[in-house]
Amino acid sequence: MVISSVYNYFFSRSTNTSPVHQDHHHNFSTYNRPTDYNSFHPNLKPVLQQLDAISPRFIVNANDITILNDPKVFYQTLCKKISQAKSRVFLTSLYIGKTQYELIEIIDKALTANEDLKIDILTDALRGTRESPQAPSSATLLLPLIEKFGNHRINIRMYHTPHLAGFVKSITPKRINEGWGLQHMKLYGFDNEIILSGANLSNDYFNDRQDRYYIFNDKNLTDYYYKIQAAIQSISYQILPSSKLPAGFRLSWPTSNKSCEPHLNLHRFIQDSSHLLDPLLKTNGQSQTTSSEIPSNFDTVVYPISQFTPLFPDQNDRSTEKPAILRLLSYLDSSSNIKWWFTAGYFNMLPQIQDKLLNSKNSKGVVITASPKANSFYKSSGISYYLPQAYLLFAKRFLEQIQKLNKQDFVSVFEWENGIVNTPNGWSYHAKGIWITTPNEDHPSMTIIGSSNYTKRAYSLDLESNAIIVTRNAELKSKMRHEIDHLMEHAKPLNLSDFHPKPVNDKQEELPEKANKESSPPVYEIDEDKKIGYGVHLAVKLLGGKL
């Protein structure tokens, strides 16, 4: 691995005709973007024109978008589409659960049944090898597929953040190492279909963790996300079998990769990565649908947006997610009577997004976040025990800001809770997204679907990929509203008063009969799941940007 990396570093880019610099332009079809959005609500026209300047745009058929609401249906759909794929499957996830043997068997059968099928899998190196070599991991789970089919048919890559190496990595516990940045995208592609979600590929996400799932049956859009995954794969490690290492595998850096290993020359790696990704993210008047393919009465537009901040030089971040979302939220000031919904299981809203939501003129909004009992870290061991309290603290501060701005009549906060996580019939909450209506409507015309939690971490440390959907199709808008209503079924209001001590008379000690003749003072106590320790306040102050 070291020899190939050194070779790649010194020889593969010795001239200006390197693969990265040659690939400086899209091969996407182009045309003069139509500025006629007159069939959409008048307030949406400037929004669409502004998004046109930020992101590639896809005209899609609203009937080709399917929204799922149930994790079991998501898993069934995933397995079915892998089994039926004819030419390609590409899966991008933070990790694959180390006991997902059924999923591996389905992939095995698909490759066995169809010699033309090729599968690409991209996960995170830190998360995907966390347990190795002491215990099974994502890497060891996938290893038998490589041994059986070879890496020419199943290409398994693991992205490693370029900003962690050497002494710091060697002395920091593995779970803490992940705080330096992760591959966080969730892209699940099959031939000409793509599922965008916030869900990873593990048992809880397939059974009792609430998330969101959008299926797009559109070749152009699927091709685009395939290019996104392929680009990140080309600057990632490849998993290969190894009989010499205790874990049974090694992380190899192929000479065909688009740069050197980041720890060899971080500056060069960032330069090469930015040259690789910039053409995929920027528009320059380009689109992925030719003018002849656009129906005159098109009703739905999809804008892929991605955040790849760790792979761009400081002060020259070409990522599209953050600017696109901030531009979209400016729409809230365009008129009164606009409604919005925001959700994130791990609630730590980026300050600029919070400002846009709280300072809009006359819009009304709902925030849905996970109750501590729906947080996957609830009563876990180690330092993660305090994470639910940390996210609760962020929610409390958000409520305080609502009160400070006198926005109680305009912004409401709800906690999602369905049983107690990690107990029988208990669910966790992992949904993330934004929905926005046009004026005087109850059904959203816009939504954001994908991997981002809309946190400072998402815009500084991790790799994220999402999509903004804008539609005037009544049926799709109704489905989006149904998605919100489904989430609200298990949501209850959260107020500042919930953090105040309340009388707990039943906890008073039994008093002697004589003493009972006099009224005893009430005992006040904060509900257990609303308590926030002093240490959590300090930890959030120091590490809030990594949550």
Side-chain angles (χ1 to χ4, degrees), residues 111-132:
L111 287 167
T112 301
N114 181 1
E115 293 184 356
D116 295 326
L117 182 63
K118 188 177 186 301
I119 295 181
D120 291 278
I121 297 176
L122 172 66
T123 68
D124 183 77
L126 294 172
R127 183 64 181 85
T129 63
R130 178 200 286 175
E131 300 87 352
S132 295

Side-chain angles (χ1 to χ4, degrees), residues 414-428:
F414 286 77
E415 277 190 327
W416 191 97
E417 184 179 308
N418 186 8
I420 301 175
V421 66
N422 300 322
T423 67
N425 301 317
W427 284 51
S428 57

Side-chain angles (χ1 to χ4, degrees), residues 92-94 184-188 195-200 430 451:
T92 301
S93 185
L94 172 60
H184 199 249
M185 300 185 292
K186 285 87 179 182
L187 309 171
Y188 307 124
I195 299 178
L196 297 186
S197 179
N200 293 303
H430 197 252
S451 62

Side-chain angles (χ1 to χ4, degrees), residues 196-315:
L196 297 186
S197 179
N200 293 303
L201 302 179
S202 67
N203 190 60
D204 46 357
Y205 290 95
F206 298 154
N207 288 282
D208 50 22
R209 177 169 290 189
Q210 183 63 60
D211 216 300
R212 300 177 67 211
Y213 330 86
Y214 276 52
I215 308 173
F216 300 84
N217 184 6
D218 187 276
K219 182 181 185 303
N220 290 329
L221 186 63
T222 303
D223 285 346
Y224 178 82
Y225 283 108
Y226 179 76
K227 289 182 171 78
I228 289 288
Q229 174 167 328
I232 301 302
Q233 285 185 163
S234 71
I235 51 173
S236 298
Y237 289 95
Q238 188 173 44
I239 299 296
L240 295 177
S242 173
S243 59
K244 298 180 180 179
L245 297 176
F249 67 87
R250 61 189 175 94
L251 294 175
S252 172
W253 191 266
T255 56
S256 59
N257 273 10
K258 299 298 186 181
S259 187
C260 62
E261 289 184 73
H263 69 268
L264 292 178
N265 189 325
L266 178 60
H267 176 72
R268 186 186 193 104
F269 178 84
I270 296 298
Q271 277 192 321
D272 291 341
S273 299
S274 62
H275 280 296
L276 175 70
L277 296 168
D278 189 37
L280 280 173
L281 299 180
K282 67 184 181 183
T283 59
N284 287 342
Q286 297 176 324
S287 178
Q288 285 64 51
T289 310
T290 62
S291 56
S292 61
E293 294 174 328
I294 299 177
S296 58
N297 61 340
F298 70 94
D299 61 9
T300 303
V301 187
V302 176
Y303 295 95
I305 52 174
S306 297
Q307 198 72 25
F308 296 143
T309 300
L311 300 175
F312 284 102
D314 292 340
Q315 312 304 320

Side-chain angles (χ1 to χ4, degrees), residues 369-389:
T369 186
S371 157
K373 291 178 180 178
N375 188 303
S376 57
F377 298 105
Y378 184 67
K379 294 194 173 179
S380 62
S381 59
I383 194 171
S384 60
Y385 175 89
Y386 299 99
L387 286 176
Q389 290 186 39

Side-chain angles (χ1 to χ4, degrees), residues 500-520:
H500 298 162
K502 298 177 178 60
V504 191
N505 293 322
D506 57 342
K507 289 191 177 183
Q508 295 185 63
E509 296 181 3
E510 291 291 330
L511 298 176
E513 184 177 346
K514 184 177 181 180
N516 271 334
K517 294 179 180 179
E518 299 179 6
S519 59
S520 57

